[in-house]
Amino acid sequence: MLYVILIVLLLAFVSVSNYMASRNMERENNAIVNQAIPILTTANSLLTSLINQETGLRGYQLGGGNEQFLEPFTTGREQVAMDLNTLSTYDKKYPTLQLIIDTQAIPAITNLQKYYDTTLELFRAGKIEEAKARVTGGKTLMDRYRVIHTSIEKNIGQITSTAYEASQRAGQTSRLITIVGFLIALLAGAMSIIISLRSYQAEKELRKSEETYRYMAESLESQNEEIIAQQEEQQITLAKLSERERDLELISSYQEKLTGYVKLTDFLKHTLPALLNSLAQDAALVVLEDRSENGASSYEVIHSIGYPKGHIQASRSELFGPARRVFDEGVSITHTRDVTGNEQGVHNGMTRAIDHYIPLTDDKQEVIGFLLLTSYQSSLYLEDNQRLTKGLVRQFGLAFYAQVVNDEKLQQAESLALLNDQLTAEKLLLEGQHDLIQNILESAHEGMMMCDSEGTILFANHRMNQYFGLNERIGQNLVSCSYEIGAKSASFHGVAASIEALIDRSLSHLTQRFSFQQDEQLQHAELYATVVSEGTEQQGYLFVFRDRTEEERVDEMKNEFISIVSHELRTPLASVLGFIEILLHRDLPQEKQKRYMETIYNEAQRLSNLINDFLDLQRMESGRQSYNFAPIHLQSLVTEIAEQWQDKQLHQIVIHQQEPELWVRADVDRIRQVFDNLISNAIKYSPAADHIDIHLLTHDGKVTIAIQDYGLGIPLEANEHMFSKFFRVDNSDRRQIGGTGLGLAIVKEIVEGHGGNISYTSEMGHGTTFRIELDQYEISGLDGKIVIFEDDDNLAKLIQVALNKLSLPSIQLRSAEEGMIALRRCEGEGPVLFIVDIHLEGEKTGWDFIADLYKHPVHAQTPVIVSTALDPPHDYHEKEIEKYLKKPFTMERLVQVAKRLLDNKSSLAYVFPAQNKETLSTTLERNGINVLKMQENQDMIEVDLIRPPSDK
């Protein structure tokens, strides 16, 4: 009996101890959830409300006083009062927290509220600048409160840590009690074994003396049966203890998975499997209600586990049945149903399912969603251990809501971070604008200086400092500095007096021109002043110093230009008018009339050339001059120009050349203009000579054209002005030689426009040599290559890269003339394909090259792809050896068309862009082409033609 009583007491002790430990752990966990988390939430809400007030106030400021932007300010103010009231409920329980809130937080919040109210009153009173000036004070108050908020968070963290340590100690106590109970159970087992052994010995002794002690043996046998029954009872108890131990391990593992997650998805991914294992359920899902701003609700399945794929609908706009009742009634609901579809399992053995709908609530006990647990095996979920089940589900609900709140805080933190980034960006923008204004002032060509209303110098950019050294005088009086400058430069004395009158307000505005010496050169300048922030406390004056030296030089050039033009235009015009007057009023012999008419013609030609020079130079300087580059055979061009001049002048033009052939890429008309100008100058300025030499040289891929005369030469002092507009060497030897001084300026512009250089050497009395250096052009070989006519280098490279798939070499030509020349020199197998753009660099177009190609006796059937951004010409049609691709087109399409052309050179079919078939047929017949058959594809029309007998 003593042993039985001991076992009963042992079981009672273990049960009571486990219950007390479990209650203690639950109580400590509830303390964390019900106290620490709400305190932290309220503290964070307090900070958010203050930030919302600041945001609303800034929105009101940026929105130009729109009261609608004050809504966050008003809401934040009301929320601050509610949060402070909530924190006051925990004052008695947490004295340290009360001390921080009463002595630090509340005074700081009061100061912030006063700051916000005062700033708002200033905005409403129209004192914008004064309100903006208080921004730094508001930021300081907010930074102080952030420090206090950090102290509150640390105190709350200490409270949470203390509660967590208490929960850990409760868990340790529970495990200790379980271990002690297990040891006692082992002791009871050992005692049972000892008693069994003793019973066996007693039985043996009894059998030896069975006759003598029968009555005693019977008594011992019945005692032995009782002991065996007690052993069986102990084994059942031990099995229950083992099962209980397993349940506690599952519960402990489940509880460990309830904390430590940053994201809600990670929390559900780890906790739901543990919950299913603890409750012996098969599947689970979590549904969360999402309320939009207009009040409409949608229901999202944020996580599910154990259900067949495709069985769960991720989102619903409306619920019904048990799911709807959970939201309406806020209680758990159990529903039994038949399984359908894939829920029946691989063996189709699942027939019934039990669904348990459990509401998930927030801190106000309002339903925010539900947990659905499904069992396909039994209905023991709510019957075996309701208390344990409710506890685990309740722990899940609390942890779930805490995780939802944490997610919301993370979103708020991200929003605050975004807002902070926006504020930082705005600050950087303002700083950038300040730097931009500073850079603009510093990079301005004009000198700028600013002073206040009393004349104190506040700012001077580097230009102003360069002229007058004002950077060292920042903070000094401008009037005094001006008189000091006037003492060194007499012309500035009047400017100093005007500045003094302007600052004394006896002068309303200032605009004055003056001159001064700098680096031994006379500089012309203009100074004008502008009032800044007139009528305000920050009123001052902005002085702008503008250098007019270049304008004066241009005025001088303009006067010189007018003088030259007047002379150059009036001289031939006077001759024209004089001879015309003679022809009109006098009867002259036929010979004299012809001579006078020739003179009139020559003078008119002179006027025309002069005007053309003016127009050419103006077009070049304005950047509107365009060049039609094409290969030029240099010897042929120079020979042709020399022959034209030899017919008009007495000078002999001698051409010297090294190479049998020289080619350059140039605009033939402009290069001709260069040669004409230089030869004309060589003839005019060598009146005593009888010949001019032209040398054509090559070296390192460059062509040099040297035009040498044996005349007057150029003095050294004229070297730096030789290529300037309207410049002419002024001496007695040249006064009778006409000219405007524009020829060499035009020559230099043309040569540099061709990427070349022009220079000269001269010796007084012995002549001058002008040298032009251009890039030599090499005629490309076309044999076995794909020829790309394209003046856009980037597009040409792209096409070449795409055509690498065909394993054929390719070459780029920039003008139709290059292709024509190269094609005429082609003696081998010739090119395999042409890709021709219509608009190219030279005077000729892609159509000119195609026309020239079709006349070629050998390569007329070479395939052609027309590549252009223009629409095809009227009546244009493609042939099988000629494709028309309108830009933009894909490189894949280009390679596809090229490959087809290369593979089907002998086909007689024509290919056209997709269009109306009837119109196409009419156009072909109008051009003498008879159609046999048409086949329309996706993006083209293939046409078989009836060839005339001569074409077969």
Side-chain angles (χ1 to χ4, degrees), residues 356-424:
H356 308 282
Y357 295 84
I358 302 162
L360 300 174
T361 60
D362 57 12
D363 55 344
K364 299 178 182 178
Q365 299 304 309
E366 295 181 359
V367 179
I368 60 174
F370 66 81
L371 168 67
L372 174 60
L373 300 175
T374 300
S375 173
Y376 297 107
Q377 301 175 10
S378 66
S379 60
L380 300 179
Y381 164 69
L382 294 176
E383 296 176 1
D384 284 354
N385 195 340
Q386 293 186 7
R387 184 184 62 81
L388 177 61
T389 300
K390 290 181 179 179
L392 295 179
V393 171
R394 176 174 173 77
Q395 287 180 356
F396 175 82
L398 293 174
F400 174 78
Y401 179 65
Q403 194 66 44
V404 170
V405 172
N406 184 58
D407 264 23
E408 292 177 353
K409 290 178 181 177
L410 288 176
Q411 293 177 1
Q412 292 176 356
E414 292 175 356
S415 299
L416 291 175
L418 179 60
L419 179 60
N420 182 63
D421 291 342
Q422 292 174 348
L423 293 175
T424 303

Side-chain angles (χ1 to χ4, degrees), residues 500-567:
E500 182 179 15
L502 178 68
I503 294 176
D504 290 342
R505 295 175 177 81
S506 58
L507 191 66
S508 59
H509 62 278
L510 171 63
T511 300
Q512 195 158 349
R513 295 184 177 183
F514 60 96
S515 302
F516 63 97
Q517 290 287 336
Q518 185 179 36
D519 298 331
E520 298 182 357
Q521 292 184 356
L522 182 64
Q523 302 289 327
H524 302 277
E526 180 180 21
L527 183 68
Y528 61 88
T530 303
V531 180
V532 180
S533 302
E534 185 175 5
T536 65
E537 296 180 359
Q538 290 80 26
Q539 177 175 334
Y541 300 94
L542 176 65
F543 292 86
V544 179
F545 174 90
R546 189 166 66 88
D547 188 356
R548 298 183 60 258
T549 305
E550 184 64 21
E551 292 181 15
E552 293 290 337
R553 189 184 69 82
V554 171
D555 286 342
E556 292 178 3
M557 290 179 59
K558 182 172 65 175
N559 294 333
E560 182 181 357
F561 168 74
I562 293 173
S563 175
I564 293 174
V565 169
S566 298
H567 173 74

Side-chain angles (χ1 to χ4, degrees), residues 67 79 123 165 418 432 570 698 948:
E67 294 291 339
Q79 187 63 37
F123 277 128
E165 291 174 357
L418 179 60
R570 285 176 179 175
T698 61

